[in-house]
Amino acid sequence: MSYKHNNLMAMREQYWQDQSAQVLTEKTALQQLLSTLEVMPQPSLEDAKYVFFHLPSHIIIQGYALGFCHAQVQSLIIAFIQAHKTQLRVKQGLKIRFRS
C-alpha cells in the first residue's frame, strides 16, 4: 500500500467518523443522490459509506476543499456514480483510482 493511499484512506476514515452537522448533511445528500440516480432504492448510511470510500482521490480532495455538496464536487460524484452504477449497485469491488 502506498504512502499516498494511506493518507487518502486516513482522510476518508476521518471524514466518515466526523459527526458535525455539515458532514451529516453531506452524508445524507450522498444517500439522496444514490436514490435519485436509482443506484439503490433506499440507500442506507452504509451504502453511502461504500460509495464514498470508492470515490477517486481527486473527488475526495476537492470535496475536502470545497465541501461535498458544492456544485462542482457534486457533478464529479454524479459522473463517477453514473460511470460505475452497475458495480456500485451490487457492491462489486472497485479499484480506487489515484490521479497524478
Side-chain angles (χ1 to χ4, degrees):
M1 212 176 279
S2 72
Y3 176 74
K4 185 176 184 180
H5 176 76
N6 287 337
N7 284 343
L8 285 167
M9 188 56 72
M11 288 174 70
R12 293 172 204 273
E13 289 170 359
Q14 181 180 6
Y15 175 85
W16 204 260
Q17 292 172 5
D18 188 338
Q19 295 298 312
S20 69
Q22 177 183 344
V23 172
L24 293 175
T25 299
E26 291 173 344
K27 290 175 186 178
T28 301
L30 181 55
Q31 283 179 274
Q32 292 172 345
L33 191 57
L34 293 172
S35 179
T36 301
L37 295 174
E38 298 177 348
V39 176
M40 300 159 185
Q42 294 181 346
S44 67
L45 197 55
E46 280 301 310
D47 294 329
K49 180 180 180 180
Y50 170 79
V51 172
F52 179 80
F53 273 73
H54 285 86
L55 291 174
S57 60
H58 68 280
I59 297 176
I60 297 296
I61 292 166
Q62 286 192 18
Y64 258 90
L66 302 172
F68 286 93
C69 288
H70 187 276
Q72 181 180 354
V73 178
Q74 284 288 297
S75 67
L76 293 170
I77 293 171
I78 290 169
F80 172 79
I81 290 172
Q82 289 174 333
H84 299 92
K85 191 173 186 175
T86 303
Q87 294 99 327
L88 293 171
R89 183 177 289 139
V90 297
K91 294 187 178 178
Q92 180 181 355
L94 292 173
K95 180 175 170 84
I96 298 174
R97 292 187 184 177
F98 297 102
R99 189 181 228 187
S100 302

